[in-house]
């Protein structure tokens, strides 16, 4: 880890802590000596950070200091590239196009050495098995649009008995588990459903919106499925 990366990690580590952290713990997590840690803290303070504390008592970063824009560690760039390439491999053509645009915007403002890592990352992705969705590549985009606007949708699909079924639903999420699934709430049955997207033959986004709290419904569904909290932290 370069010194620049180490300083970024140190700042991020301190920003996540509400109470003072001992220098010994910080040095151990960063895999550096206490002397190096003290020099790093002094350098950050000279650059405008307000890190209070002293050896033996612990350190805390006071509010007000902003990290330089678009500074990433090596691991963060690899995670970014991996996720971006995964999106490009999927059949949501709108998201794939946006992923290409996103990575270009990131590359344009990165330092040269990080730009090289972005373009020549060792992370690769190859997914298969989504050819059945190609007849309607915009379906996933339509579902996402309906989710964001809380629009009800009418879907025609094959049920478990291979019978054509028409249903009005409140879309909550797109769930991926080797295949794409539409997670929705039915106002009539007051039940959740998880339907494989490739089984949807027709989808119509309505102008009518549902009034239930989507976040609350999704939380109830994720708890029911035993899934971890999906909020970023």
């Amino acid at each position: 880890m370069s010194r620049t990366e180490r300083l970024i990690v140190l700042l991020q580590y301190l920003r996540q802590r509400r109470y003072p952290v001992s220098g010994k713990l910080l040095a151990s997590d960063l895999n550096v000596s206490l002397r190096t840690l003290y020099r790093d803290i002094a350098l950050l303070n000279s650059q405008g950070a307000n890190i209070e504390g002293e050896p033996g008592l612990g350190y805390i970063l006071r509010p007000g200091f902003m990290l330089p824009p678009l500074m990433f560690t090596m691991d963060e760039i690899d995670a970014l590239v991996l996720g971006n390439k995964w999106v490009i491999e999927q059949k949501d053509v709108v998201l794939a196009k946006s992923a290409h645009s996103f990575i270009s915007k990131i590359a344009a403002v990165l330092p040269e050495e990080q730009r090289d890592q972005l373009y020549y990352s060792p992370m690769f992705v190859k997914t298969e098995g989504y050819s059945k969705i190609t007849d309607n590549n915009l379906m996933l985009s339509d579902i996402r649009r309906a989710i964001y606007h809380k629009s009800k949708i009418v879907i025609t699909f094959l049920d478990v008995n291979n019978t054509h079924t028409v249903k009005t639903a409140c879309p909550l999420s797109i769930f991926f588990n080797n295949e794409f699934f539409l997670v929705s709430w039915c106002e009539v049955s007051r039940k959740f459903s998880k339907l494989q997207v490739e089984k949807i033959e027709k989808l119509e986004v309505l102008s009518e919106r549902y009034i239930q709290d989507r976040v609350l419904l999704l939380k109830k569904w994720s708890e029911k499925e035993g899934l971890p909290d999906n909020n970023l932290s």
Side-chain angles (χ1 to χ4, degrees):
M1 182 186 299
S2 68
R3 188 180 192 187
T4 299
E5 290 178 325
R6 190 175 71 243
L7 292 174
I8 295 171
V9 172
L10 174 57
L11 277 173
Q12 291 174 333
Y13 191 98
L14 288 170
R15 291 178 81 186
Q16 295 169 1
R17 299 300 187 275
R18 297 177 57 188
Y19 303 103
V21 185
S22 72
K24 184 177 180 181
L25 180 59
L26 286 171
S28 175
D29 286 347
L30 294 171
N31 197 28
V32 297
S33 67
L34 279 172
R35 178 177 295 181
T36 297
L37 175 70
Y38 299 153
R39 286 201 298 262
D40 287 348
I41 290 176
L43 177 59
L44 288 172
N45 278 331
S46 71
Q47 298 299 315
N50 184 10
I51 303 175
E52 296 182 355
E54 58 185 69
L57 296 178
Y59 296 90
I60 187 169
L61 176 65
R62 296 302 180 187
F65 181 74
M66 299 297 293
L67 284 171
L70 296 179
M71 293 294 292
F72 299 105
T73 66
M74 182 181 299
D75 289 339
E76 287 171 339
I77 289 180
D78 279 345
L80 175 66
V81 170
L82 182 62
N84 198 72
K85 288 182 176 179
W86 186 90
V87 169
I88 292 173
E89 277 287 310
Q90 309 313 308
K91 294 303 181 181
D92 188 327
V93 291
V94 176
L95 271 187
K97 182 179 179 180
S98 297
H100 279 293
S101 173
F102 171 75
I103 211 72
S104 296
K105 289 179 179 179
I106 293 292
V109 292
L110 281 177
E112 184 175 353
E113 63 273 12
Q114 291 197 322
R115 191 181 310 131
D116 288 342
Q117 185 191 348
L118 191 71
Y119 284 135
Y120 303 111
S121 170
M123 312 305 294
F124 287 90
V125 173
K126 180 62 179 177
T127 57
E128 299 176 351
Y130 309 115
S131 58
K132 296 180 181 179
I133 306 177
T134 56
D135 290 339
N136 191 355
N137 281 339
L138 293 177
M139 184 174 293
L140 288 171
S141 296
D142 289 339
I143 293 174
R144 287 191 295 106
R145 178 166 56 90
I147 290 171
Y148 285 125
H149 291 288
K150 294 184 63 178
S151 301
K152 294 183 180 181
I153 58 176
V154 177
I155 51 177
T156 302
F157 61 96
L158 289 174
D159 63 18
V160 292
N161 298 315
N162 280 330
T163 301
H164 291 276
T165 302
V166 180
K167 177 180 179 181
T168 300
C170 305
L172 304 178
S173 176
I174 296 173
F175 176 68
F176 183 81
N177 184 14
N178 297 319
E179 298 285 351
F180 286 106
F181 293 87
L182 165 65
V183 177
S184 62
W185 167 258
C186 179
E187 291 181 321
V188 176
S189 66
R190 302 189 63 80
K191 292 182 179 179
F192 296 106
S193 65
K194 186 175 68 175
L195 175 66
Q196 199 169 341
V197 172
E198 69 176 33
K199 293 186 179 296
I200 301 176
E201 297 181 343
K202 183 180 179 181
L203 182 144
E204 179 186 0
V205 179
L206 304 179
S207 58
E208 181 183 0
R209 299 185 178 184
Y210 58 91
I211 61 174
Q212 292 91 342
D213 188 316
R214 186 185 73 87
V215 175
L216 182 59
L217 285 174
L218 193 56
K219 183 177 181 180
K220 289 181 178 179
W221 174 79
S222 62
E223 290 175 350
K224 177 176 174 290
E225 294 288 316
L227 298 174
D229 190 345
N230 198 38
N231 293 327
L232 293 178
S233 59

